[in-house]
Amino acid sequence: MSTTKEKQIKKSEDIDWIEVNKKIDKYISEVESESDALIEVLHKVQSLLGYIPKRTQKRIAKELELAPGKISSVMSFYSHFSAKPKGKYQIAICKGTACYVKGSVDIIEKVEEVYDLNSGDTTDDGIFSLEVVRCLGACGLAPVMTVNGKAHGLLNPDKAVKILEKYKNGEM
Ligand code: FES
């Protein structure tokens, strides 16, 4: 099981875009194989910023002479890539079969309601982002959610919110 990671994602207004653009140009110039260029550059930008903003997608498309639609289709295929900044705590709640039959939908609805959050979104304060996923590989603990990769199992809606409050209050 992985340990909790706290990612610091910079907001768009805090980013030095001149520096970022220089790095993107460098990534593009270093690409070895044209066929892997897009994925390689997307990975590097995702690691650099924690997400791939629209303006950066446009720049990459221009530099690699690709249609902007090509970038969004690749990004939507690989869940690792995100167009929006993720929260400090990234929640994944499983809706796979084992979790579904043990009530994960109630947990999802509760988390969405308490934090005014939909799957794929981040709270306005940047604390949480939520993804609803299919099987986290811990079916014996169903229903399961992970927070920054750390699994929490045998949940119910109230238990899930109590755990998330602990993260929010810096107690986990
Ligand atoms: S179905 Fe939820 S962890 Fe496997």
Side-chain angles (χ1 to χ4, degrees), residues 52-151:
I52 306 168
K54 278 272 175 230
R55 61 188 289 168
T56 306
Q57 293 177 38
K58 282 187 193 156
R59 186 177 184 92
I60 296 169
K62 189 172 167 250
E63 295 299 321
L64 292 177
E65 298 177 7
L66 297 168
K70 172 78 180 164
I71 309 252
S72 22
S73 69
V74 168
M75 284 183 57
S76 60
F77 187 78
Y78 296 100
S79 60
H80 170 71
F81 300 130
S82 170
K84 290 184 193 167
K86 300 245 177 161
K88 178 178 179 185
Y89 298 111
Q90 295 170 29
I91 309 164
I93 306 180
C94 181
K95 205 180 174 186
T97 308
C99 291
Y100 181 86
V101 298
K102 293 203 172 174
S104 67
V105 171
D106 294 338
I107 297 169
I108 293 163
E109 285 174 1
K110 180 82 177 186
V111 170
E112 287 179 341
E113 183 200 317
V114 170
Y115 298 104
D116 191 18
L117 190 61
N118 291 314
S119 183
D121 281 349
T122 301
T123 51
D124 290 341
D125 58 9
I127 299 287
F128 293 121
S129 51
L130 174 66
E131 294 290 339
V132 173
V133 299
R134 300 269 167 199
C135 196
L136 288 161
C139 312
L141 294 175
V144 184
M145 78 172 171
T146 59
V147 180
N148 289 358
K150 181 174 168 39

